[in-house]
Amino acid sequence: MKKILFFLSLMMVAFFTANAQLKDDVNDDGVVDLSDATTLIDHVLNGVNNGSSHIFIANNVMFEMVRVEGGTFTMGATAEQASDAFSDELPTHKVTLSPFLIGKYEVSQTLWLAVMGENPSVNTGINLPVDNVTWNECQTFITKLNELTGKNFRLLTEAEWEYAARGGNKSKGYKYSGSNNLGDVAWYIDNSNNTSHAMGTKAPNELGIYDMTGNVMEWVSDWKGSYSSGAQTNPTGPDSGTYRVNRGGSYGNVERLSRITNRNSIDPNMSSKTMGLRLCLPE
């Protein structure tokens, strides 16, 4: 396995040198250059991280996750949502969460194909998020991914999703994930041409996470239920229900449905070309 990874690392260096288009400041030195490729290779070969970024491999496909520090936040329609909030976003309530890792990007079609052997997406492309997947199919994907990696990946809970979308303990109180200007951070109905787009091409949020608003909606683990006003710690939602929650809005949604507190839900056996997922790994 080490030989395979070493060979892949050489290919990565050649690619980054030839194309000079590494887009992430992996080593946090304020400059995106070849040293970031070297750091990324070190992450892969040695399993180290630069404080918040963690690299994983499944069937020779790399994917990156970001550490979210635990903390307490107010979940639901806080003041910045104003009159756009729907009734199911209330009452607001305090939630305390343990630290976890979250996908820096939505699950790609490349990773889904590597794990499942097929690509169900309607909008197809190498750097596009997987779409057209049901909640139940996501569970099958995650089970197989865990078998390949020896990890315990899962979907985010609804509370974890909202906390990360808000920017965790670095939150600046934005209406959308990373900005009050939707077009800066999201592919949505006014700029998407009614299709998904390459992941990471809009600005990230405060935690360096991309596309938590727009592009494709993201399944979370919870059944849809009503909020209560009481404080909660690591909530997982109702024990049963009819519909599973999805968050974040999509390339087909208007501004109001793209807000970080907006809650959507559908039958877990249903799929949509606007529906994908993002991974979570608990610490």
Side-chain angles (χ1 to χ4, degrees):
M1 184 63 180
K2 282 282 186 179
K3 290 182 179 179
I4 294 174
L5 292 178
F6 180 71
F7 176 71
L8 289 173
S9 71
L10 293 178
M11 293 178 63
M12 289 166 58
V13 169
F15 174 81
F16 294 137
T17 302
N19 293 277
Q21 57 184 19
L22 180 67
K23 66 184 176 183
D24 291 327
D25 183 16
V26 178
N27 57 16
D28 287 335
D29 64 356
V31 180
V32 178
D33 57 18
L34 188 59
S35 67
D36 295 292
T38 304
T39 302
L40 181 59
I41 292 164
D42 191 41
H43 290 181
V44 174
L45 292 178
N46 300 307
V48 300
N49 63 79
N50 68 336
S52 63
S53 180
H54 297 248
I55 306 296
F56 300 89
I57 295 180
N59 279 348
N60 297 326
V61 175
M62 289 188 298
F63 57 101
E64 189 172 356
M65 302 191 77
V66 173
R67 186 177 188 271
V68 180
E69 293 183 5
T72 299
F73 77 109
T74 301
M75 185 172 181
T78 42
E80 78 284 346
Q81 303 301 321
S83 60
D84 282 341
F86 294 101
S87 61
D88 65 351
E89 301 169 34
L90 296 169
T92 59
H93 51 288
K94 293 291 184 181
V95 173
T96 300
L97 295 173
S98 301
F100 58 94
L101 302 184
I102 183 175
K104 187 171 186 175
Y105 309 98
E106 295 158 328
V107 169
S108 69
Q109 294 177 26
T110 304
L111 180 58
W112 186 281
L113 178 62
V115 173
M116 300 291 283
E118 60 181 4
N119 182 6
S121 303
V122 174
N123 306 296
T124 56
I126 293 176
N127 200 35
L128 294 183
V130 70
D131 65 51
N132 197 39
V133 290
T134 70
W135 187 93
N136 290 324
E137 288 169 340
C138 291
Q139 299 305 309
T140 301
F141 164 79
I142 290 171
T143 297
K144 292 184 177 182
L145 179 64
N146 289 340
E147 291 172 352
L148 287 169
T149 60
K151 303 296 183 181
N152 188 32
F153 295 106
R154 58 170 173 80
L155 292 177
L156 296 149
T157 65
E158 188 174 16
E160 288 169 339
W161 190 97
E162 185 171 319
Y163 179 60
R166 286 178 175 273
N169 62 11
K170 297 181 180 180
S171 177
K172 296 181 180 179
Y174 293 131
K175 189 172 188 176
Y176 311 105
S177 185
S179 180
N180 286 324
N181 184 348
L182 183 55
D184 288 347
V185 293
W187 295 108
Y188 71 113
I189 195 168
D190 283 357
N191 64 8
S192 69
N193 197 28
N194 199 34
T195 188
S196 60
H197 288 258
M199 300 178 299
T201 51
K202 289 292 185 177
N205 76 354
E206 299 94 319
L207 294 174
I209 307 168
Y210 292 84
D211 299 314
M212 291 205 76
T213 297
N215 221 7
V216 293
M217 292 184 284
E218 301 171 11
W219 285 111
V220 297
S221 61
D222 301 39
W223 291 106
K224 178 69 179 291
S226 298
Y227 285 166
S228 62
S229 59
Q232 298 176 306
T233 299
N234 294 323
T236 57
D239 293 333
S240 60
T242 302
Y243 304 112
R244 293 284 187 179
V245 177
N246 49 79
R247 287 295 209 109
S250 77
Y251 63 81
N253 283 144
V254 298
E255 290 93 333
R256 189 180 186 189
L257 300 180
S258 303
R259 297 171 301 104
I260 54 175
T261 59
N262 184 61
R263 309 173 71 201
N264 190 45
S265 61
I266 61 172
D267 188 299
N269 291 302
M270 291 183 63
S271 64
S272 166
K273 66 180 182 179
T274 62
M275 189 77 66
L277 73 154
R278 190 182 298 265
L279 291 171
C280 174
L281 182 64
E283 289 195 341

